[in-house]
Amino acid sequence: MKVLVIGSGGREHAIIYKLKKDKRIKELFCARGNAGISKIATLVDIDENDTKSLIDFVKKENIDLTIVGPEVPLVNGIVDKFEKENLKIFGPNKECAKLEGSKSFCKDFLVRHNINTAKYKEYTDVNLAIKEIDGFGYPVVIKADGLCGGKGVLICKNRQEAIQGLKEIMDNKVFKTAGDKVVVEEFLEGIEMSVLAFVDNNSIVPMVSAKDHKKVFNGEKGLNTGGMGTFSPSDIYTENLEKRIKIDILDKTLEGFKKDNLNFKGVLFVGLMVNDGVPKVLEFNTRFGDPETQVVLTRLETELVDIIEAILNNSLDKIDIKYTKKECVCVILSSGGYPEKYEIEKEIYGLENLDDDIVVYHSGTKLKDGKLVTNGGRVLGITCLDSSVEVASNKVYENIKKINFENMHFRTDIGR
Ligand code: AMP
Ligand code: GLY
């Protein structure tokens, strides 16, 4: 089989690293990929949103299967366009990707199908939003409706902050048209966790749990990022919670897809807030999470391509998906300044000195004049699979001591 993966981050590196071990796969391509991916797949210099050129490439190369990593092409309808050309592609169609692409569409779905989530209201009129804002209590959560690369959620401590936030989004358009509409919702207390699930028309099958760390500094301090590190399994994922998530959230979601005629095939990422053992949905993403994927796929033993083909054939219920009992940790090394301003093209030193049981998933890296340099906010995901999260975490941090680039930043509390 020839497979093309679309995307260029650590998630895509983890997907390709896993596919590389699948026996049936003969050739792997990635658009556009990064320096790490270039060692195990052929890089294709086509933008992830240039659907026409991607289709031309897939036809010319006789690619058997395309896998979409990031949300923007999904929300723009890449899957529908491939399917129209009878090309095999893994990911949800445009209508289903709206669950991630529009917060109000998602909230509406959750409420309609009686799935636990924060109370909310949507607004297109800034004055009405300001008039009603006190009704949510403080802190209050304000979300731009559309895609904002993980930046569109404001948690406002008081009325003044909330009014300022609403004006920034709705009047000053800091998130452009993504902020034409906002969702305002009650603040939920609790512990966050994410569950990724494989989904086809007949079943929804959760993967092993993972815990992301969204804030840039230790102890959940500082700005929200795409994710600074993960471990799997999540420490709060008890059998009881697993059962509640299945019955109260996943099963109801599948029923909802059926009732709404949503032909969801792909990966559903469920962001949860758990309080007193009760899970509530914060958000749906319609793709693998980054860096959740780095730990979850490292634990996956079943061939990924078999799972993907089962989903495309609506036979997910026929396949037994296995994970190792070993536990996994991934710590992200980022460019100092991320998620705000940061510099790129800093030379990366030391990767050749790492222990054999360390896997390095590249995010923002590239080769410049034959040297490995940084090329993004999140740069590398240093990953280890071992008997426990604690052991894996210690190994990861021992190895990070050997890596260096100018202004390198990382959290020192992942899995500790
Ligand atoms: P989202 O993109 O909707 O997941 O929001 C980004 C982050 O904002 C989440 O990971 C949470 O940390 C936080 N968040 C979102 N909604 C709420 C809420 N209703 N209550 C508390 N925190 C929230
Ligand atoms: N790690 C969060 C995300 O992928 O959206």
mmCIF file of all heavy atoms in Angstrom, residues 7 78 91 136 341 359:
data_model
loop_
_atom_site.group_PDB
_atom_site.id
_atom_site.type_symbol
_atom_site.label_atom_id
_atom_site.label_comp_id
_atom_site.label_asym_id
_atom_site.label_seq_id
_atom_site.Cartn_x
_atom_site.Cartn_y
_atom_site.Cartn_z
ATOM 1 N N GLY A 7 -0.115 16.845 6.932
ATOM 2 C CA GLY A 7 0.193 17.562 8.173
ATOM 3 C C GLY A 7 1.689 17.617 8.392
ATOM 4 O O GLY A 7 2.457 16.981 7.661
ATOM 5 N N ILE A 78 -11.934 18.658 2.890
ATOM 6 C CA ILE A 78 -11.021 17.866 2.047
ATOM 7 C C ILE A 78 -11.572 16.454 1.802
ATOM 8 O O ILE A 78 -11.425 15.902 0.703
ATOM 9 C CB ILE A 78 -9.595 17.814 2.664
ATOM 10 C CG1 ILE A 78 -8.611 17.208 1.656
ATOM 11 C CG2 ILE A 78 -9.556 17.053 3.969
ATOM 12 C CD1 ILE A 78 -7.154 17.318 2.076
ATOM 13 N N GLY A 91 -10.837 10.434 7.637
ATOM 14 C CA GLY A 91 -11.154 11.645 8.394
ATOM 15 C C GLY A 91 -12.621 11.934 8.214
ATOM 16 O O GLY A 91 -13.248 11.412 7.287
ATOM 17 N N PHE A 136 -23.978 34.563 33.881
ATOM 18 C CA PHE A 136 -23.195 33.321 33.877
ATOM 19 C C PHE A 136 -22.347 33.159 35.133
ATOM 20 O O PHE A 136 -21.791 32.103 35.379
ATOM 21 C CB PHE A 136 -22.272 33.271 32.641
ATOM 22 C CG PHE A 136 -23.022 33.172 31.351
ATOM 23 C CD1 PHE A 136 -23.449 34.303 30.694
ATOM 24 C CD2 PHE A 136 -23.325 31.932 30.809
ATOM 25 C CE1 PHE A 136 -24.164 34.215 29.509
ATOM 26 C CE2 PHE A 136 -24.040 31.830 29.619
ATOM 27 C CZ PHE A 136 -24.460 32.973 28.970
ATOM 28 N N LYS A 341 5.393 35.295 20.800
ATOM 29 C CA LYS A 341 6.455 35.439 19.797
ATOM 30 C C LYS A 341 7.673 34.575 20.112
ATOM 31 O O LYS A 341 8.089 34.499 21.273
ATOM 32 C CB LYS A 341 6.912 36.899 19.789
ATOM 33 C CG LYS A 341 6.424 37.682 18.595
ATOM 34 C CD LYS A 341 6.919 39.089 18.695
ATOM 35 C CE LYS A 341 7.946 39.348 17.634
ATOM 36 N NZ LYS A 341 7.762 40.666 17.031
ATOM 37 N N VAL A 359 12.040 7.776 21.931
ATOM 38 C CA VAL A 359 11.567 8.115 20.584
ATOM 39 C C VAL A 359 11.397 9.629 20.523
ATOM 40 O O VAL A 359 10.806 10.227 21.424
ATOM 41 C CB VAL A 359 10.216 7.428 20.281
ATOM 42 C CG1 VAL A 359 9.724 7.812 18.888
ATOM 43 C CG2 VAL A 359 10.352 5.919 20.386
#
